[in-house]
């Protein structure tokens, strides 16, 4: 039984995140999408809103669940009976931060492995922050996020 925790801000969940989880759901018994409270990043959406959007997007996957967290990631991962932290890599620019994060987490809990999946090429340039930026400026984001997320962004941005 290998369970993975996929942590992130998910502000909001994008088709890039969803594609990653869809692929990972074939590799792991269970995936917990762990949404960080993360006030430092000043998210546009509240934790509950982010959880709600992710839950809706993932409702057809029966081995995926969504939960919020506000403690140390390795502690949370252990509490979920998981030994894997799942992360995505889009470009070389992601690597340095992800490498540092994985190293820190290994030094905190050596029995937890960080596993990376590379992005599907069509989502290589896709990030939550870019989606918000494009939407804010009136661009069409239908290709990048689920329908429900578009409605939520429109509500937020007025
Ligand atoms: P964080 O604030 O932790 O970076 P994000 O929600 O931005 O949270 O991303 C969570 C994880 O998903 C990160 O590992 C990130 O690299 C990965 N990710 C985000 N967008 C994509 C994408 N389009 N393709 C693949 N991985 C992605």
């Amino acid at each position: 039984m290998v369970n993975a925790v996929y942590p992130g801000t998910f502000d909001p969940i994008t088709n890039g995140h969803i594609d990653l989880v869809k692929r990972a759901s074939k590799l792991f018994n269970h995936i917990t999408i762990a949404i960080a409270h993360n006030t430092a990043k000043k998210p546009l959406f509240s934790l509950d809103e982010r959880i709600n959007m992710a839950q809706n997007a993932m409702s057809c996957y029966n081995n995926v669940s969504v939960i919020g967290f506000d403690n140390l990631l390795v502690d949370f991962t252990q509490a979920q009976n998981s030994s894997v932290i799942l992360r995505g890599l889009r470009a070389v620019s992601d690597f340095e931060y992800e490498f540092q994060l994985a190293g820190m987490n290994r030094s905190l809990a050596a029995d937890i492995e960080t596993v990376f999946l590379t992005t599907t090429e069509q989502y290589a340039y896709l990030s939550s922050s870019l989606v918000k930026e494009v939407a804010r400026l009136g661009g069409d984001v239908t290709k990048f996020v689920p329908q429900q997320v578009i409605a939520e962004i429109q509500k937020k941005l007025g």
Side-chain angles (χ1 to χ4, degrees):
M1 251 323 249
V2 185
N3 300 331
V5 165
Y6 179 32
T9 312
F10 301 96
D11 184 43
I13 192 160
T14 70
N15 292 344
H17 294 125
I18 294 166
D19 174 70
L20 195 107
V21 174
K22 187 173 154 190
R23 287 157 53 216
S25 70
K26 296 178 196 141
L27 303 175
F28 299 103
N29 295 93
H30 186 87
I31 297 175
T32 303
I33 299 180
I35 307 196
H37 192 62
N38 209 348
T39 41
K41 268 205 169 178
K42 296 199 172 32
L44 175 65
F45 294 99
S46 72
L47 182 59
D48 283 346
E49 289 167 333
R50 286 179 279 144
I51 291 174
N52 203 274
M53 286 184 279
Q55 268 168 347
N56 274 313
M58 289 296 148
S59 56
C60 54
Y61 295 89
N62 53 21
N63 65 337
V64 178
S65 56
V66 183
I67 182 171
F69 78 107
D70 197 13
N71 57 334
L72 198 62
L73 178 60
V74 291
D75 291 345
F76 175 83
T77 303
Q78 271 156 352
Q80 293 293 312
N81 280 326
S82 173
S83 54
V84 172
I85 293 171
L86 175 68
R87 293 285 286 178
L89 285 175
R90 279 161 294 190
V92 183
S93 51
D94 280 339
F95 180 80
E96 203 166 308
Y97 174 66
E98 294 293 342
F99 188 79
Q100 193 182 9
L101 204 64
M104 174 57 82
N105 285 330
R106 183 179 300 111
S107 76
L108 292 170
D111 53 338
I112 295 177
E113 288 293 347
T114 302
V115 170
F116 296 99
L117 289 187
T118 54
T119 185
T120 300
E121 301 83 86
Q122 73 185 109
Y123 300 124
Y125 55 87
L126 182 52
S127 68
S128 301
S129 33
L130 216 45
V131 165
K132 285 178 284 186
E133 186 69 18
V134 170
R136 198 174 278 129
L137 297 170
D140 181 8
V141 294
T142 45
K143 278 194 294 194
F144 310 131
V145 289
Q147 203 58 46
Q148 189 233 352
V149 171
I150 295 176
E152 293 299 321
I153 294 177
Q154 277 163 352
K155 253 193 261 167
K156 269 289 165 200
L157 301 177

